[in-house]
């Protein structure tokens, strides 16, 4: 791999001030990066040429380029993005409908957007239902490569810097297996002179590295966590997520209980529903019990099949029956509508289609 220069998107404003003088130029540069989504030094009109030349010796601006893009009829756009070393990963632009109430009390729908970012090329966890896992692990993404996914998608959708956006760390890779870079990206997103995306708008999804859940909690970044639970007993969970042997269900539940969350909020548990594996009422019953002393919310996800997978998508009737059981027993539960079902929706599918292999 050729030596890669760091990107300006790798750093908080303070870290750039330590490296670039005079400090007021950093504030201007930050404006170019996050308010104008600058792609290169030429874009930065009011920065002296000499400084730009000096900076370009040490840094690059935008570390990403768009290689492929698929748009779904529901407004979901899936991007295949390439990095400096030629490696690719995916980010997704999701359009959510949100009910708002105006001053006269009328209910209206407003579009809300969420960006799903990748944190690694490939993944070490090796879940048997996940396409990203099939190609093994290639490398961690840098903080700048995570940050630039959001900048790239906002730029491509003409989404102004001060328009609200939510970030979910649910793309390719296990965020807690790249905790330092993910934590740095979280901090950069929070920068007030940058995109100013607070911790409450960022959700880190994990397959359950319990010791790292504790570490993320100790960092006190104010982010939400989502736990990819998927099974209620360790035998099935270890079949689906092999590292469950080292981080079993009980260790995850205990780590969640220690995690600092806003007391008004709930921890999200994702439950991937696979036909004839975990879609029965017996599992729903165990799930209620398992989460009984946690302020939890369950998100049921339809398994999204891809060529070669041994698993099947559950029926809608089973999905609804599962949800009904949870709701009747006091557990908040939503069914995730399969966004972008007509495009390559499951993690890793666009990459696989474009390159033929991961
Ligand atoms: N590694 C993290 C975050 C990325 S995966 C994690 O596992 O939580 C994001 C979500 O996509 C996870 O909940 C995962 O279970 C889900 N997912 C993976 N493969 C899927 C598939 N084929 N169909 C539906 N959801 C899938
Ligand atoms: Fe990795 Fe998440 Fe896929 Fe599991 S589901 S292999 S943890 S990306």
């Amino acid at each position: 791999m050729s030596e890669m220069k760091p990107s300006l998107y790798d750093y908080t404003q303070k870290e750039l001030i330590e490296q670039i003088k005079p400090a007021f130029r950093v504030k201007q540069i930050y404006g170019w990066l996050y308010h104008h989504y600058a792609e290169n030094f030429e874009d930065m009109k009011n920065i002296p040429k000499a400084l730009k030349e000096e900076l370009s010796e040490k840094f690059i601006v935008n570390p990403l380029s768009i290689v492929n893009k698929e748009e779904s009829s529901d407004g979901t756009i899936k991007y295949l993005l390439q990095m400096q070393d030629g490696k690719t990963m995916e980010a997704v632009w999701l359009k959510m409908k949100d009910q708002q109430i105006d001053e006269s009390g009328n209910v209206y729908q407003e579009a809300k957007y969420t960006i799903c970012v990748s944190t690694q090329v490939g993944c070490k966890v090796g879940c048997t239902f996940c396409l990203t896992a099939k190609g093994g692990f290639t490398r961690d993404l840098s903080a700048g490569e995570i940050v630039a996914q959001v900048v790239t998608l906002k730029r491509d959708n003409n989404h102004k810097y001060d328009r609200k956006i939510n970030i979910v760390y649910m793309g390719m890779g296990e965020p807690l297996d790249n905790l330092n870079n993910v934590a740095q990206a979280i901090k950069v997103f929070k920068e007030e002179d940058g995109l100013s995306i607070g911790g409450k708008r960022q959700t880190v999804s994990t397959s359950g590295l319990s010791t790292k859940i504790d570490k993320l909690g100790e960092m006190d970044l104010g982010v939400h966590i989502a736990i990819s639970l998927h099974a209620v007993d360790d035998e099935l969970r270890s079949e689906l997520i092999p590292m469950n042997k080292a981080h079993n269900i009980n260790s995850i539940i205990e780590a969640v209980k220690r995690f600092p969350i806003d007391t008004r909020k709930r921890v999200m548990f994702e439950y991937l529903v696979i036909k004839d594996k975990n879609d029965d009422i017996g599992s729903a019953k165990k799930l209620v019990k398992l989460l009984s002393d946690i302020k939890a919310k369950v998100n049921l996800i339809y398994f999204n099949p891809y060529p070669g997978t041994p698993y099947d998508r559950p029926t809608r009737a089973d999905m609804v029956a599962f949800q009904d059981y949870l709701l009747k027993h006091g557990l908040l539960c939503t069914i995730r509508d399969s966004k972008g079902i007509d495009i390559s929706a499951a993690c890793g599918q666009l990459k696989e289609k474009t390159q033929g292999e991961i």
Side-chain angles (χ1 to χ4, degrees):
M1 197 196 292
S2 63
E3 194 53 42
M4 290 201 291
K5 283 184 198 168
S7 155
L8 291 178
Y9 287 110
D10 277 307
Y11 303 104
T12 60
Q13 191 166 198
K14 192 162 161 261
E15 288 165 345
L16 283 183
I17 288 171
E18 283 159 12
Q19 301 176 71
I20 302 170
K21 300 287 170 240
F24 79 95
R25 291 289 180 204
V26 172
K27 202 166 169 120
Q28 290 174 328
I29 291 171
Y30 233 66
W32 285 111
L33 295 175
Y34 296 103
H35 295 180
H36 303 286
Y37 308 145
E39 295 203 64
N40 49 51
F41 288 106
E42 288 86 83
D43 287 348
M44 302 182 184
K45 301 281 181 266
N46 58 354
I47 307 295
K49 206 161 170 253
L51 179 59
K52 289 196 278 199
E53 272 166 15
E54 188 192 319
L55 291 177
S56 64
E57 307 263 302
K58 286 207 308 209
F59 307 101
I60 57 153
V61 182
N62 181 14
L64 302 179
S65 58
I66 298 172
V67 263
N68 197 357
K69 180 170 145 177
E70 278 188 1
E71 190 160 356
S72 160
S73 50
D74 64 15
T76 303
I77 311 175
K78 190 147 190 166
Y79 290 84
L80 186 70
L81 303 170
Q82 187 165 46
M83 292 164 281
Q84 287 181 79
D85 61 356
K87 303 269 185 295
T88 56
M89 46 80 184
E90 299 174 1
V92 187
W93 175 262
L94 296 151
K95 187 176 172 186
M96 321 285 214
K97 285 266 187 299
D98 189 36
Q99 279 206 342
Q100 302 277 350
I101 300 175
D102 69 13
E103 286 154 12
S104 352
N106 300 317
V107 176
Y108 67 99
Q109 297 277 341
E110 196 188 53
K112 266 202 339 186
Y113 297 94
T114 294
I115 295 177
C116 174
V117 296
S118 290
T119 55
Q120 296 177 317
V121 181
C123 186
K124 289 180 202 159
V125 179
C127 300
T128 51
F129 53 82
C130 175
L131 196 52
T132 299
K134 264 181 55 181
F137 173 74
T138 305
R139 72 165 171 89
D140 284 333
L141 296 192
S142 65
E145 287 165 342
I146 298 170
V147 171
Q149 292 173 57
V150 172
V151 174
T152 300
L153 270 55
K154 274 173 80 81
R155 181 196 299 116
D156 198 55
N157 289 284
N158 294 316
H159 199 258
K160 267 189 67 192
Y161 76 92
D162 56 353
R163 282 194 66 190
K164 289 201 167 82
I165 194 97
N166 293 316
I167 299 175
V168 292
Y169 296 79
M170 289 187 188
M172 308 174 86
E174 167 51 52
L176 297 190
D177 191 33
N178 183 16
L179 182 55
N180 288 343
N181 294 349
V182 168
Q184 173 73 3
I186 292 169
K187 287 180 199 158
V188 175
F189 284 132
K190 286 167 73 172
E191 285 283 16
E192 279 183 18
D193 289 333
L195 292 175
S196 195
I197 304 167
K200 285 193 175 112
R201 296 195 163 274
Q202 303 190 49
T203 302
V204 176
S205 173
T206 178
S207 54
L209 297 167
S210 42
T211 47
K212 297 286 185 71
I213 294 173
D214 282 333
K215 275 217 169 111
L216 178 68
E218 283 158 20
M219 291 177 173
D220 213 15
L221 298 165
V223 289
H224 290 306
I225 45 166
I227 306 292
S228 290
L229 192 66
H230 307 337
V232 288
D233 57 73
D234 281 315
E235 196 186 334
L236 176 61
R237 196 165 192 277
S238 300
E239 178 193 321
L240 300 176
I241 310 174
M243 64 128 206
N244 184 67
K245 293 186 191 89
H247 302 269
N248 65 15
I249 295 177
N250 190 43
S251 76
I252 297 169
I253 299 287
E254 290 307 313
V256 168
K257 285 182 185 162
R258 290 188 291 267
F259 194 82
I261 51 156
D262 184 329
T263 47
R264 289 161 303 178
K265 298 282 177 184
R266 292 167 186 276
V267 176
M268 177 164 27
F269 286 84
E270 290 161 288
Y271 190 90
L272 181 74
V273 186
I274 304 174
K275 189 176 162 56
D276 297 336
K277 278 276 177 194
N278 61 1
D279 59 350
D280 56 296
I281 293 301
S283 297
K285 209 169 175 174
K286 282 189 189 161
L287 189 56
V288 170
K289 213 165 157 203
L290 196 63
L291 302 180
S292 59
D293 49 353
I294 291 183
K295 240 181 139 182
K297 174 171 83 181
V298 173
N299 195 211
L300 299 177
I301 310 168
Y302 281 97
F303 169 67
N304 210 336
Y306 51 88
T309 177
Y311 304 121
D312 294 314
R313 192 180 157 89
T315 63
R316 200 183 137 67
D318 284 342
M319 203 67 169
V320 171
F322 199 104
Q323 181 191 31
D324 280 351
Y325 185 91
L326 299 190
L327 290 174
K328 277 203 188 95
H329 292 80
L331 191 51
L332 259 186
C333 172
T334 49
I335 296 178
R336 186 188 294 172
D337 54 336
S338 301
K339 290 268 172 206
I341 196 84
D342 54 334
I343 59 172
S344 311
C347 310
Q349 283 188 359
L350 181 60
K351 181 169 166 123
E352 172 123 325
K353 194 150 110 188
T354 305
Q355 301 180 326
E357 57 171 21
I358 296 182

